Amino acid sequence: MSNKVPQIRFNGYSDAWVQRNLGDITAWTKGQGLPKEDLNEEKSGLEAVHYADLYKFSPVMHEVIHWTNSDDGRIIPNNSLLFPASDVTPVGLARTSTLKLSGVKAGGDVIIGQLDESINSSFMSYQINATSKKILPLITGTTVKHIQAKSLATLSVSVTNMAEQTAIAGLFERIDKLIAANQRKLDLLKEQKKSYLQKMFPKNGAKVPELRFAGFAADWEERKLSDMANVKTGFPFKNENFVDDGQYLVITNGNIQNDSAFVDGKVGNRITAVTDEIKEKYTLNYGDILVTMDGTVGRTAKVVEGNQILAQRVGRLVSESTPEFIYQWLNTGKFFTEMTKVSHGGTIKHISLSEIGDYVAYVPTSKDEREKIGSLFLNIDKTITLHQRKLDLLKEQKKGFLQKMFV
């Protein structure tokens, strides 16, 4: 037994924390029965937990996602930790949750650890999840991984007095509520954008959109993408050109992610030595639109950062006229579908610059209308970005507190 203190703690607490084995403060049982066919999502019967639910649960849960009318299941005691007993990956088992509800049934493969009255289950759940790597050596199995209560009982945890436990648990629950609220706002904004994209661009067979700005009534006309923007690609770099800490990020298909308006500049290949000719021809500018040409073809992203140079096999669309409209025009879903249709190759699909440039869809004849549409979606994207940054900051703050408020 060793005594330690965390790096950060609330005022008024100075006692050392005590290390214990989880088994010394826990009484173990296991759920029973309740196969998936006995569960429902219609809130019919008693609340229930299937072991697979635990992979979706946060450290502290105030609601369930399943109910049952079956007589099977074991009632989860209050102040308990729940662990999944099997999964196909070790990481899937390196987790726990506590449920702030009474009378909930647990099905088979749910390990239940009822904690001693001196332990706050929320505090312990946050602590175990913050140090979840300690569970990995306890896992057995080959194709399907398993963990047992007797193994979890050997897990070393740290304990302080109930008042400090409650204060720490309360802090993390408040942070989680803020994260959840901001995630809902972000999801709502993305849904609103999706709805506007559907309504402000013509549906199949239509020449005008369902929703448009006042003062515009003319039919939209079909245009090729190559008529709207210059379509080109980047420089054929080789692996030996790349260094770990180069000044320039080289943008490849891997930097263009799903459901993201911007190029992911956090990771990737970097380069230091570039000729003036390469720099002039292939340095990306704000507002350039990129298109994946290999793998999952037809993904798009906007360039918003400097010091980025484009690699070959990524399409680059450059337009001096309404680039924001063009970007949104490509994100209604039709462009991605069409690029998938025209792609070629075996396991890894490819598209060409000409196939990108030959994409055809309806656009407004009025530049003013294109600019208004582009401006609307630019503002929506900026709001989404602000909310995403706030959400990311909250998650980083939580991560920092988890590292420093437990021992």
Side-chain angles (χ1 to χ4, degrees):
M1 184 182 295
S2 62
N3 298 332
K4 297 181 180 180
V5 295
Q7 285 180 260
I8 297 176
R9 43 197 325 194
F10 289 99
N11 289 333
Y13 301 104
S14 57
D15 292 345
W17 289 29
V18 180
Q19 277 195 295
R20 305 282 298 276
N21 283 339
L22 187 59
D24 296 336
I25 52 175
T26 308
W28 301 98
T29 54
K30 199 172 183 183
Q32 60 184 19
L34 293 184
K36 277 208 166 180
E37 54 266 29
D38 287 346
L39 303 174
N40 68 82
E41 299 178 5
E42 289 72 48
K43 302 187 178 181
S44 174
L46 293 178
E47 292 162 313
V49 174
H50 188 268
Y51 82 94
D53 298 347
L54 298 175
Y55 308 132
K56 303 175 184 177
F57 281 2
S58 301
V60 179
M61 295 295 296
H62 295 271
E63 58 186 10
V64 297
I65 58 177
H66 284 119
W67 288 259
T68 185
N69 291 297
S70 170
D71 292 331
D72 276 354
R74 186 185 300 277
I75 298 295
I76 301 169
N78 292 334
N79 204 43
S80 291
L81 298 175
L82 306 177
F83 297 85
S86 63
D87 192 28
V88 293
T89 66
V91 175
L93 297 178
R95 70 181 67 234
T96 189
S97 296
T98 185
L99 195 57
K100 297 300 185 178
L101 293 169
S102 297
V104 180
K105 288 185 172 184
D109 252 9
V110 175
I111 298 172
I112 305 169
Q114 184 179 15
L115 292 162
D116 184 271
E117 290 182 356
S118 65
I119 307 298
N120 180 304
S121 64
S122 297
F123 164 83
M124 190 55 63
S125 184
Y126 281 119
Q127 179 182 163
I128 291 173
N129 280 285
T131 57
S132 60
K133 289 182 180 179
K134 294 197 294 186
I135 297 176
L136 297 177
L138 310 176
I139 294 168
T140 61
T142 53
T143 304
V144 179
K145 310 298 181 183
H146 304 278
I147 196 161
Q148 299 180 8
K150 64 181 182 181
S151 299
L152 289 168
T154 67
L155 198 64
S156 176
V157 296
S158 299
V159 177
T160 182
N161 61 70
M162 179 58 78
E164 189 171 15
Q165 290 181 49
T166 302
I168 292 170
L171 170 67
F172 285 111
E173 286 203 58
R174 289 192 294 275
I175 293 174
D176 277 348
K177 285 179 181 177
L178 278 173
I179 288 173
N182 278 276
Q183 185 66 63
R184 285 192 296 270
K185 287 180 183 177
L186 183 61
D187 292 343
L188 179 59
L189 280 167
K190 288 180 177 180
E191 281 301 311
Q192 288 175 333
K193 178 184 175 181
K194 184 178 177 181
S195 176
Y196 277 128
L197 283 171
Q198 291 172 347
K199 292 179 179 180
M200 296 193 72
F201 289 87
K203 291 182 170 60
N204 289 335
K207 294 183 179 180
V208 293
E210 179 182 338
L211 182 67
R212 65 198 303 191
F213 287 98
F216 301 103
D219 285 354
W220 289 24
E221 63 178 18
E222 281 192 317
R223 296 281 295 275
K224 271 188 179 184
L225 180 52
S226 58
D227 295 332
M228 305 284 291
N230 187 5
V231 184
K232 46 190 176 179
T233 189
F235 184 79
F237 290 104
K238 297 178 180 178
N239 288 336
E240 55 263 33
N241 297 138
F242 300 132
V243 295
D244 291 334
D245 56 353
Q247 178 183 358
Y248 298 96
L249 177 68
V250 177
I251 300 300
T252 65
N253 285 292
N255 296 102
I256 303 172
Q257 304 297 320
N258 281 329
D259 195 30
S260 176
F262 309 113
V263 177
D264 180 7
K266 296 178 183 177
V267 294
N269 298 311
R270 306 194 77 87
I271 195 165
T272 296
V274 290
T275 65
D276 289 341
E277 182 183 3
I278 291 175
K279 197 183 300 183
E280 182 179 348
K281 287 182 67 175
Y282 302 109
T283 297
L284 295 170
N285 300 313
Y286 179 90
D288 286 353
I289 302 163
L290 305 184
V291 179
T292 54
M293 296 179 66
D294 297 321
T296 306
V297 299
R299 288 179 182 169
T300 60
K302 287 188 293 190
V303 176
V304 295
E305 297 179 23
N307 286 345
Q308 296 179 342
I309 297 180
L310 189 65
Q312 195 177 39
R313 299 301 304 159
V314 182
R316 178 187 185 185
L317 310 179
V318 180
S319 173
E320 296 181 2
S321 175
T322 62
E324 189 61 37
F325 169 84
I326 295 171
Y327 175 71
Q328 304 301 341
W329 181 54
L330 299 179
N331 275 281
T332 60
K334 296 176 186 176
F335 176 72
F336 181 84
T337 301
E338 188 60 28
M339 291 302 100
T340 302
K341 282 182 185 177
V342 301
S343 65
H344 41 86
T347 304
I348 300 177
K349 299 297 183 183
H350 310 278
I351 54 175
S352 66
L353 290 178
S354 62
E355 286 163 340
I356 294 172
D358 286 343
Y359 172 70
V360 174
Y362 282 96
V363 301
T365 55
S366 165
K367 180 182 176 183
D368 189 28
E369 186 174 10
R370 295 198 299 271
E371 287 179 341
K372 284 182 179 292
I373 293 170
S375 179
L376 169 68
F377 283 104
L378 178 61
N379 288 331
I380 293 174
D381 279 346
K382 284 180 177 178
T383 306
I384 288 173
T385 300
L386 287 173
H387 279 80
Q388 184 66 64
R389 286 175 180 164
K390 184 177 180 181
L391 182 62
D392 291 343
L393 179 60
L394 282 168
K395 289 179 178 179
E396 281 300 310
Q397 288 175 331
K398 178 185 175 182
K399 183 179 177 181
F401 282 131
L402 285 171
Q403 291 172 344
K404 295 179 180 180
M405 295 192 74
F406 293 106
V407 298

mmCIF file of all heavy atoms in Angstrom, residues 338-357:
data_model
loop_
_atom_site.group_PDB
_atom_site.id
_atom_site.type_symbol
_atom_site.label_atom_id
_atom_site.label_comp_id
_atom_site.label_asym_id
_atom_site.label_seq_id
_atom_site.Cartn_x
_atom_site.Cartn_y
_atom_site.Cartn_z
ATOM 1 N N GLU A 338 -21.512 10.598 -58.271
ATOM 2 C CA GLU A 338 -21.098 10.517 -59.670
ATOM 3 C C GLU A 338 -19.630 10.092 -59.784
ATOM 4 O O GLU A 338 -19.284 9.287 -60.660
ATOM 5 C CB GLU A 338 -21.297 11.867 -60.349
ATOM 6 C CG GLU A 338 -21.081 11.858 -61.856
ATOM 7 C CD GLU A 338 -22.027 10.922 -62.602
ATOM 8 O OE1 GLU A 338 -23.152 10.683 -62.118
ATOM 9 O OE2 GLU A 338 -21.620 10.411 -63.666
ATOM 10 N N MET A 339 -18.781 10.590 -58.911
ATOM 11 C CA MET A 339 -17.371 10.200 -58.951
ATOM 12 C C MET A 339 -17.209 8.715 -58.615
ATOM 13 O O MET A 339 -16.357 8.030 -59.179
ATOM 14 C CB MET A 339 -16.539 11.051 -57.983
ATOM 15 C CG MET A 339 -16.402 12.512 -58.390
ATOM 16 S SD MET A 339 -15.666 12.769 -60.045
ATOM 17 C CE MET A 339 -17.141 13.078 -61.043
ATOM 18 N N THR A 340 -18.035 8.215 -57.705
ATOM 19 C CA THR A 340 -17.997 6.783 -57.387
ATOM 20 C C THR A 340 -18.397 5.964 -58.608
ATOM 21 O O THR A 340 -17.798 4.921 -58.900
ATOM 22 C CB THR A 340 -18.938 6.478 -56.207
ATOM 23 O OG1 THR A 340 -18.559 7.270 -55.068
ATOM 24 C CG2 THR A 340 -18.885 5.005 -55.825
ATOM 25 N N LYS A 341 -19.398 6.449 -59.349
ATOM 26 C CA LYS A 341 -19.877 5.732 -60.545
ATOM 27 C C LYS A 341 -18.799 5.659 -61.630
ATOM 28 O O LYS A 341 -18.639 4.632 -62.285
ATOM 29 C CB LYS A 341 -21.108 6.436 -61.131
ATOM 30 C CG LYS A 341 -22.399 6.176 -60.394
ATOM 31 C CD LYS A 341 -23.525 6.904 -61.113
ATOM 32 C CE LYS A 341 -24.828 6.780 -60.362
ATOM 33 N NZ LYS A 341 -25.907 7.553 -61.044
ATOM 34 N N VAL A 342 -18.078 6.757 -61.843
ATOM 35 C CA VAL A 342 -17.115 6.786 -62.944
ATOM 36 C C VAL A 342 -15.735 6.275 -62.531
ATOM 37 O O VAL A 342 -14.833 6.176 -63.366
ATOM 38 C CB VAL A 342 -16.976 8.213 -63.534
ATOM 39 C CG1 VAL A 342 -18.316 8.718 -64.043
ATOM 40 C CG2 VAL A 342 -16.367 9.182 -62.520
ATOM 41 N N SER A 343 -15.555 5.946 -61.254
ATOM 42 C CA SER A 343 -14.255 5.469 -60.791
ATOM 43 C C SER A 343 -13.910 4.127 -61.415
ATOM 44 O O SER A 343 -14.789 3.373 -61.839
ATOM 45 C CB SER A 343 -14.224 5.367 -59.269
ATOM 46 O OG SER A 343 -15.128 4.378 -58.814
ATOM 47 N N HIS A 344 -12.636 3.822 -61.451
ATOM 48 C CA HIS A 344 -12.175 2.585 -62.067
ATOM 49 C C HIS A 344 -11.031 2.022 -61.237
ATOM 50 O O HIS A 344 -10.440 2.708 -60.398
ATOM 51 C CB HIS A 344 -11.706 2.844 -63.507
ATOM 52 C CG HIS A 344 -10.933 4.111 -63.665
ATOM 53 N ND1 HIS A 344 -9.581 4.200 -63.449
ATOM 54 C CD2 HIS A 344 -11.358 5.377 -63.973
ATOM 55 C CE1 HIS A 344 -9.184 5.444 -63.632
ATOM 56 N NE2 HIS A 344 -10.233 6.192 -63.949
ATOM 57 N N GLY A 345 -10.718 0.736 -61.463
ATOM 58 C CA GLY A 345 -9.669 0.090 -60.695
ATOM 59 C C GLY A 345 -10.216 -1.077 -59.906
ATOM 60 O O GLY A 345 -11.427 -1.301 -59.848
ATOM 61 N N GLY A 346 -9.328 -1.841 -59.274
ATOM 62 C CA GLY A 346 -9.732 -3.025 -58.524
ATOM 63 C C GLY A 346 -10.074 -2.689 -57.083
ATOM 64 O O GLY A 346 -11.070 -2.034 -56.801
ATOM 65 N N THR A 347 -9.217 -3.122 -56.159
ATOM 66 C CA THR A 347 -9.469 -2.867 -54.733
ATOM 67 C C THR A 347 -9.440 -1.372 -54.432
ATOM 68 O O THR A 347 -10.280 -0.857 -53.691
ATOM 69 C CB THR A 347 -8.410 -3.583 -53.877
ATOM 70 O OG1 THR A 347 -8.412 -4.970 -54.203
ATOM 71 C CG2 THR A 347 -8.727 -3.420 -52.397
ATOM 72 N N ILE A 348 -8.473 -0.661 -55.010
ATOM 73 C CA ILE A 348 -8.375 0.791 -54.821
ATOM 74 C C ILE A 348 -8.920 1.488 -56.066
ATOM 75 O O ILE A 348 -8.444 1.264 -57.177
ATOM 76 C CB ILE A 348 -6.916 1.212 -54.569
ATOM 77 C CG1 ILE A 348 -6.381 0.526 -53.307
ATOM 78 C CG2 ILE A 348 -6.808 2.728 -54.452
ATOM 79 C CD1 ILE A 348 -4.928 0.810 -53.018
ATOM 80 N N LYS A 349 -9.922 2.317 -55.868
ATOM 81 C CA LYS A 349 -10.566 3.019 -56.979
ATOM 82 C C LYS A 349 -9.817 4.315 -57.311
ATOM 83 O O LYS A 349 -9.154 4.909 -56.457
ATOM 84 C CB LYS A 349 -12.023 3.349 -56.628
ATOM 85 C CG LYS A 349 -12.877 2.116 -56.353
ATOM 86 C CD LYS A 349 -12.985 1.226 -57.580
ATOM 87 C CE LYS A 349 -13.888 0.030 -57.333
ATOM 88 N NZ LYS A 349 -13.937 -0.871 -58.501
ATOM 89 N N HIS A 350 -9.962 4.759 -58.571
ATOM 90 C CA HIS A 350 -9.296 5.970 -59.040
ATOM 91 C C HIS A 350 -10.244 6.785 -59.916
ATOM 92 O O HIS A 350 -11.133 6.229 -60.554
ATOM 93 C CB HIS A 350 -8.046 5.621 -59.864
ATOM 94 C CG HIS A 350 -7.139 4.651 -59.206
ATOM 95 N ND1 HIS A 350 -6.220 5.020 -58.246
ATOM 96 C CD2 HIS A 350 -6.999 3.305 -59.357
ATOM 97 C CE1 HIS A 350 -5.549 3.948 -57.834
ATOM 98 N NE2 HIS A 350 -6.008 2.899 -58.499
ATOM 99 N N ILE A 351 -10.027 8.089 -59.956
ATOM 100 C CA ILE A 351 -10.677 8.958 -60.934
ATOM 101 C C ILE A 351 -9.608 9.861 -61.541
ATOM 102 O O ILE A 351 -8.536 10.058 -60.969
ATOM 103 C CB ILE A 351 -11.814 9.807 -60.327
ATOM 104 C CG1 ILE A 351 -11.321 10.601 -59.110
ATOM 105 C CG2 ILE A 351 -13.031 8.956 -59.991
ATOM 106 C CD1 ILE A 351 -12.356 11.553 -58.531
ATOM 107 N N SER A 352 -9.907 10.404 -62.717
ATOM 108 C CA SER A 352 -8.959 11.268 -63.418
ATOM 109 C C SER A 352 -9.393 12.731 -63.307
ATOM 110 O O SER A 352 -10.529 13.038 -62.934
ATOM 111 C CB SER A 352 -8.886 10.872 -64.889
ATOM 112 O OG SER A 352 -10.129 11.133 -65.523
ATOM 113 N N LEU A 353 -8.495 13.619 -63.678
ATOM 114 C CA LEU A 353 -8.824 15.045 -63.691
ATOM 115 C C LEU A 353 -9.939 15.330 -64.686
ATOM 116 O O LEU A 353 -10.820 16.162 -64.422
ATOM 117 C CB LEU A 353 -7.582 15.866 -64.052
ATOM 118 C CG LEU A 353 -6.468 15.912 -63.008
ATOM 119 C CD1 LEU A 353 -5.288 16.719 -63.538
ATOM 120 C CD2 LEU A 353 -6.955 16.503 -61.694
ATOM 121 N N SER A 354 -9.930 14.644 -65.821
ATOM 122 C CA SER A 354 -10.979 14.879 -66.824
ATOM 123 C C SER A 354 -12.330 14.422 -66.316
ATOM 124 O O SER A 354 -13.366 15.046 -66.593
ATOM 125 C CB SER A 354 -10.634 14.170 -68.134
ATOM 126 O OG SER A 354 -10.547 12.770 -67.956
ATOM 127 N N GLU A 355 -12.350 13.329 -65.541
ATOM 128 C CA GLU A 355 -13.625 12.857 -64.978
ATOM 129 C C GLU A 355 -14.151 13.844 -63.942
ATOM 130 O O GLU A 355 -15.369 14.056 -63.834
ATOM 131 C CB GLU A 355 -13.438 11.463 -64.381
ATOM 132 C CG GLU A 355 -13.327 10.389 -65.454
ATOM 133 C CD GLU A 355 -12.746 9.083 -64.956
ATOM 134 O OE1 GLU A 355 -12.082 9.069 -63.894
ATOM 135 O OE2 GLU A 355 -12.942 8.063 -65.642
ATOM 136 N N ILE A 356 -13.261 14.456 -63.190
ATOM 137 C CA ILE A 356 -13.686 15.507 -62.255
ATOM 138 C C ILE A 356 -14.233 16.699 -63.032
ATOM 139 O O ILE A 356 -15.316 17.215 -62.746
ATOM 140 C CB ILE A 356 -12.510 15.945 -61.358
ATOM 141 C CG1 ILE A 356 -12.084 14.808 -60.447
ATOM 142 C CG2 ILE A 356 -12.903 17.180 -60.531
ATOM 143 C CD1 ILE A 356 -10.806 15.094 -59.659
ATOM 144 N N GLY A 357 -13.482 17.144 -64.026
ATOM 145 C CA GLY A 357 -13.885 18.317 -64.796
ATOM 146 C C GLY A 357 -15.153 18.129 -65.591
ATOM 147 O O GLY A 357 -15.882 19.099 -65.868
#
